[in-house]
Amino acid sequence: MSATQLATLARTSAPQSALRRFLALDAVVTGANALAYLAFSGPLGRFLGVDSTLLLALGAFLTAYAAGVGLLASRRQPPALGVRAVVEANLAWTAVSLVALALWLTPSTAGAVWTVLQSLTVAGFAALQYMALRARQGRSD
């Protein structure tokens, strides 16, 4: 993805703003997912074919994670180390989700589709955050 495409996607030509927007979007989407898992673990568990206790645990974890990413996004200049940690955590989430789907989970069809789609979404956040971080570092060098 070129810097122009990245700027268009972020609706800003400032890499710092793009990075903060991608982090904030990640925090909002993750937070919404976490709240859904916490509030509707029973019905979602039945629909997705996943244990509701697992969804509750994931919801609690994702709530804390979303808060941390949101805090990072609120910084005027998010530290590169923190952004790299978010990118790596997102990539790890993607990998673990897909491995769990292949080896451990036996979800419904909807659950399998959901797992793949959320994995791709999280990988997309990681890619956008990484590219925005690189664009910011390129400007400051």
Side-chain angles (χ1 to χ4, degrees), residues 36-37 39-56 106-112:
Y37 286 174
F40 306 108
S41 62
L44 278 175
R46 287 186 294 279
F47 178 69
L48 299 174
V50 177
D51 182 54
S52 62
T53 304
L54 174 62
L55 290 182
L56 280 172
T106 54
S108 64
T109 301

Side-chain angles (χ1 to χ4, degrees), residues 16 19-20 23 72-80 83 133 136:
Q16 186 61 39
L19 178 57
R20 292 180 66 209
L23 288 167
L72 196 60
S74 73
R75 304 276 305 267
R76 193 174 76 71
Q77 185 165 351
V83 175
L133 179 62
R136 181 184 81 177

Side-chain angles (χ1 to χ4, degrees), residues 9-22:
L9 186 59
R11 298 186 187 265
T12 179
S13 60
Q16 186 61 39
S17 294
L19 178 57
R20 292 180 66 209
R21 286 181 184 176
F22 293 140

Side-chain angles (χ1 to χ4, degrees), residues 113-138:
V113 169
W114 173 253
T115 301
V116 171
L117 289 177
Q118 64 85 26
S119 294
L120 293 173
T121 300
V122 172
F125 283 141
L128 290 170
Q129 293 157 351
Y130 177 75
M131 288 185 292
L133 179 62
R134 288 202 46 192
R136 181 184 81 177
Q137 291 172 332

